[in-house]
Amino acid sequence: MSARTPYTIKGETGDWELVMGLEVHAQVSSNAKLFSGASTAFGSDPNCNVSLVDAAMPGMLPVINKFCVEQAIRTGLGLKAQINTWSRFDRKNYFYPDLPQGYQISQFAHPIIGEGEIEVDVEPAHGGEAYSFPCRIERLHLEQDAGKSIHDMDPSSTYVDLNRSGVALMEIVSKPDVRTPAEAAAYVKKLRAIVIALGTCDGDMDKGNLRADVNVSVCRPGQYEKFRETGDFSHLGTRCELKNMNSFRFIQQAIEYEARRQIEILEDGGVVDQETRLFDPVKVETRSMRSKEDAHDYRYFPDPDLLPLEFEQAWVDEIRESLPELPDEKRARFEADYGLSRYDAGVLSADAEKADFFEEVAKGRDPKLAANWVTQELFGYLNKQDMELSDSPVSAASLGGLIELISNDTISGKIAKDVFARMIEGEGEAADIVEKHGLKQVTDTGAIEKVVDEIIAANPEQVAQVKEKPKTMGWFVGQVMKASGGKANPKAVNDILKAKLGL
């Protein structure tokens, strides 16, 4: 992995830099809501999963869901963060039609999880190399979700669905350590991989179960370093919050647009207003939603209906013992056990489904060859077709069978690509395709030697040339492979040619 390089945006008056902090809302994987026993099932008819507590009926009191607390602790441990055995719920006051109480039960001054840190791997972009950077976690707190306002069912009315009202959310807040659009997407990917591995959130962004708010500001080069030295936010520009981002691609597009928008305002002598903005993926632009409130605007105060949340360290230790292998640990194992590069190991370990698929392909086979075929050929095909791994037309066992044929020299790597294409089309297993179409590699040195002799005899000028410039032997290799229909063993061809040409 290469070092992190500065990312600048060219403006009319000079260079600018980006500074971002993210707030990721992850829905807790739980069958019941945070303060009631109502179901969290997705896709139910409107207002079917609503208890009297969720609807804020008079006299109804919240009761904490212990399992949701456990899931928050588990996530905090996965973030290598401080677990606070004493925390408190607060009321965050604001009005919205889908917030029946007129306030949200959240945590403000005393969150359940304190500071942590994760290592974020960034894929190559804009001609650069892959690299990693540490991103500090400021806090994780539990809060209840609001309902959903529906504006497109009637031109003159807004409908409200309270099925999500009271669903448990973990809000994971980062420090302003993210500096590029690609880093922002990579950070959310890493968090998603962690919570999925832990089983604390299913990470389904299409359903809104994991979504990100991105706080974007721009500043001149060197100002961020002053902020890190002093902790003084005045060195950074005014931030705008991009709300409810549920796509890695949209996150990057929204940040790029928003950064340019702020730079143009500043270079024209204007002032960036602190506000919440929404991203329009059709127009690929952000638009104002509302002015951004500060903490005092929400009038936080301790929720009088809930006692402080207290638990023993022994319970935390018990949860720690049950943690599964996390992405960073899996990546390190893939590097050590399979000899993979950090980048390939990171790609394959970032997602539990991908990791399991790779390990089945690599079992008892050449792991580097398996990694290449999984990440390049299979993932390349799936990405082009916009398909998920679960929809792959080639199973892990079938791909492993193809790799075995390459490893034992039954077929060459070039022929393997043709076989793979036929497997995708549904022709069957690799071995059957090779047998049916007569694609076995020619390893009979006598047969290869005969072809070599014929080509050498027919091309005396090239023979003379290759003796002066040995690198031109590639021409002969190509001719032999062409004459054999691509079936000749490349190593045998090279060895025989070198011997025949005296190289």
Side-chain angles (χ1 to χ4, degrees), residues 169-207:
L169 298 178
M170 297 178 290
E171 181 170 337
I172 305 168
V173 182
S174 82
K175 299 277 191 180
D177 290 346
V178 180
R179 307 299 309 282
T180 78
E183 287 183 3
Y187 168 79
V188 178
K189 284 181 183 178
K190 185 60 174 284
L191 278 186
R192 182 176 182 272
I194 291 172
V195 295
I196 289 175
L198 290 166
T200 56
C201 172
D202 65 13
D204 193 328
M205 300 177 77
D206 290 334
K207 294 178 181 176

Side-chain angles (χ1 to χ4, degrees), residues 18-80:
L18 265 171
V19 181
M20 288 167 284
L22 285 86
E23 301 165 9
V24 174
H25 294 83
Q27 179 175 320
V28 176
S29 290
S30 169
N31 292 329
K33 297 182 180 181
L34 184 57
F35 298 114
S36 81
S39 172
T40 60
F42 180 82
S44 301
D45 290 337
N47 297 307
C48 286
N49 301 335
V50 186
S51 74
L52 296 177
V53 172
D54 307 322
M57 290 294 119
M60 296 297 105
L61 297 177
V63 178
I64 188 70
N65 181 338
K66 180 181 178 181
F67 181 69
C68 291
V69 175
E70 180 179 339
Q71 292 285 63
I73 295 170
R74 182 179 290 271
T75 304
L77 292 170
L79 299 175
K80 307 293 189 292

Side-chain angles (χ1 to χ4, degrees), residues 92 94-104 144-147 162:
K92 179 181 181 181
Y94 64 97
F95 172 78
Y96 218 67
D98 53 24
L99 191 69
Q101 294 150 309
Y103 60 84
Q104 178 188 38
Q144 58 180 178
D145 203 354
L162 295 180

Side-chain angles (χ1 to χ4, degrees), residues 310-499:
E310 295 185 72
F311 45 82
E312 299 293 330
Q313 181 62 38
W315 188 38
V316 178
D317 296 337
E318 183 182 325
I319 295 171
R320 191 193 307 273
E321 290 298 315
S322 69
L323 295 184
E325 185 180 45
L326 294 173
D328 282 351
E329 297 163 355
K330 195 182 293 289
R331 186 202 67 223
R333 178 168 64 82
F334 280 10
E335 289 183 66
D337 294 355
Y338 296 118
L340 302 184
S341 68
R342 180 186 172 94
Y343 176 72
D344 283 345
V347 170
L348 292 167
S349 63
D351 181 287
E353 185 181 17
K354 289 179 181 177
D356 292 344
F357 188 96
F358 162 71
E359 293 211 83
E360 186 176 345
V361 173
K363 191 173 182 179
R365 305 179 180 104
D366 182 337
K368 291 185 179 179
L369 186 60
N372 286 339
W373 272 87
V374 171
T375 59
Q376 295 177 23
E377 301 300 330
L378 181 63
F379 288 176
Y381 168 78
L382 295 176
N383 287 338
K384 283 182 181 179
Q385 301 300 317
D386 196 23
M387 295 171 63
E388 298 295 329
L389 182 58
S390 57
D391 301 320
S392 172
V394 179
S395 69
S398 296
L399 185 57
L402 176 63
I403 289 169
E404 284 182 8
L405 296 180
I406 302 171
S407 298
N408 63 23
D409 290 332
T410 298
I411 57 175
S412 65
K414 184 176 181 180
I415 292 174
K417 291 187 178 183
D418 178 45
V419 174
F420 180 68
R422 294 175 184 272
M423 292 170 71
I424 287 173
E425 293 300 319
E427 287 194 28
E429 297 298 308
D432 296 333
I433 293 171
V434 169
E435 191 67 36
K436 177 182 177 182
H437 295 280
L439 298 174
K440 282 187 179 179
Q441 189 168 235
V442 177
T443 55
D444 181 353
T445 54
I448 296 173
E449 197 168 347
K450 181 181 178 182
V451 176
V452 170
D453 287 340
E454 290 174 354
I455 292 174
I456 288 176
N459 297 280
E461 292 182 4
Q462 278 78 11
V463 172
Q465 185 180 13
V466 81
K467 291 183 182 295
E468 295 180 9
K469 298 179 180 178
K471 289 184 178 180
T472 61
M473 191 186 81
W475 182 87
F476 281 98
V477 174
Q479 292 300 307
V480 174
M481 296 304 292
K482 183 178 178 180
S484 67
K487 298 178 186 177
N489 182 293
K491 185 178 184 305
V493 170
N494 276 273
D495 290 344
I496 292 170
L497 278 170
K498 286 178 181 179

Side-chain angles (χ1 to χ4, degrees), residues 19 21 23 214-218 233 236-241 258 262 272-276 292-294:
V19 181
E23 301 165 9
V214 188
N215 290 295
V216 180
S217 67
V218 296
F233 277 89
L236 306 181
T238 301
R239 71 185 188 277
C240 290
E241 181 184 49
E258 179 60 21
Q262 292 185 23
V272 174
D273 294 325
Q274 183 175 334
E275 61 181 348
T276 298
K292 175 64 177 173
E293 300 89 346
D294 286 318

Side-chain angles (χ1 to χ4, degrees), residues 53-358:
V53 172
D54 307 322
M57 290 294 119
M60 296 297 105
L61 297 177
V63 178
I64 188 70
N65 181 338
K66 180 181 178 181
F67 181 69
C68 291
V69 175
E70 180 179 339
Q71 292 285 63
I73 295 170
R74 182 179 290 271
T75 304
L77 292 170
L79 299 175
K80 307 293 189 292
Q82 172 66 40
I83 311 299
N84 297 323
T85 56
W86 190 98
S87 61
R88 189 183 72 197
F89 285 100
D90 301 281
R91 289 187 180 180
K92 179 181 181 181
N93 296 273
Y94 64 97
F95 172 78
Y96 218 67
D98 53 24
L99 191 69
Q101 294 150 309
Y103 60 84
Q104 178 188 38
I105 301 178
S106 182
Q107 292 184 310
F108 177 55
H110 301 282
I112 187 171
I113 306 297
E115 294 186 351
E117 184 174 288
I118 62 173
E119 191 77 10
V120 180
D121 294 321
V122 185
E123 297 179 6
H126 309 298
E129 298 181 13
Y131 65 93
S132 64
F133 73 97
C135 186
R136 296 169 297 163
I137 303 298
E138 182 175 312
R139 58 188 281 148
L140 177 156
H141 62 260
L142 280 168
E143 63 184 23
Q144 58 180 178
D145 203 354
K148 180 181 180 182
S149 294
I150 304 168
H151 306 289
D152 56 3
M153 290 180 64
D154 188 292
S156 59
S157 301
T158 293
Y159 289 79
V160 174
D161 178 8
L162 295 180
N163 278 347
R164 290 189 72 97
S165 178
V167 166
L169 298 178
M170 297 178 290
E171 181 170 337
I172 305 168
V173 182
S174 82
K175 299 277 191 180
D177 290 346
V178 180
R179 307 299 309 282
T180 78
E183 287 183 3
Y187 168 79
V188 178
K189 284 181 183 178
K190 185 60 174 284
L191 278 186
R192 182 176 182 272
I194 291 172
V195 295
I196 289 175
L198 290 166
T200 56
C201 172
D202 65 13
D204 193 328
M205 300 177 77
D206 290 334
K207 294 178 181 176
N209 294 352
L210 188 136
R211 52 195 190 268
D213 300 340
V214 188
N215 290 295
V216 180
S217 67
V218 296
C219 63
R220 292 295 190 180
Q223 293 299 108
Y224 177 75
E225 285 69 26
K226 291 181 180 179
F227 156 72
R228 288 297 298 266
E229 290 173 7
T230 64
D232 184 354
F233 277 89
S234 66
H235 293 294
L236 306 181
T238 301
R239 71 185 188 277
C240 290
E241 181 184 49
L242 306 180
K243 195 73 174 173
N244 288 335
M245 309 295 296
N246 66 344
S247 157
F248 302 126
R249 182 164 59 90
F250 292 166
I251 286 172
Q252 295 192 69
Q253 290 178 337
I255 292 168
E256 288 167 0
Y257 176 87
E258 179 60 21
R260 287 287 179 189
R261 187 190 72 85
Q262 292 185 23
I263 289 170
E264 288 178 8
I265 291 173
L266 294 170
E267 291 191 325
D268 286 342
V271 176
V272 174
D273 294 325
Q274 183 175 334
E275 61 181 348
T276 298
R277 300 179 68 85
L278 294 176
F279 177 64
D280 185 333
V282 177
K283 295 182 178 180
V284 194
E285 63 184 29
T286 65
R287 57 181 171 81
S288 182
M289 178 183 175
R290 62 172 182 261
S291 62
K292 175 64 177 173
E293 300 89 346
D294 286 318
H296 62 266
D297 295 318
Y298 289 121
R299 306 186 314 282
Y300 281 99
F301 63 85
D303 193 300
D305 293 335
L306 289 161
L307 291 171
L309 188 59
E310 295 185 72
F311 45 82
E312 299 293 330
Q313 181 62 38
W315 188 38
V316 178
D317 296 337
E318 183 182 325
I319 295 171
R320 191 193 307 273
E321 290 298 315
S322 69
L323 295 184
E325 185 180 45
L326 294 173
D328 282 351
E329 297 163 355
K330 195 182 293 289
R331 186 202 67 223
R333 178 168 64 82
F334 280 10
E335 289 183 66
D337 294 355
Y338 296 118
L340 302 184
S341 68
R342 180 186 172 94
Y343 176 72
D344 283 345
V347 170
L348 292 167
S349 63
D351 181 287
E353 185 181 17
K354 289 179 181 177
D356 292 344
F357 188 96
F358 162 71

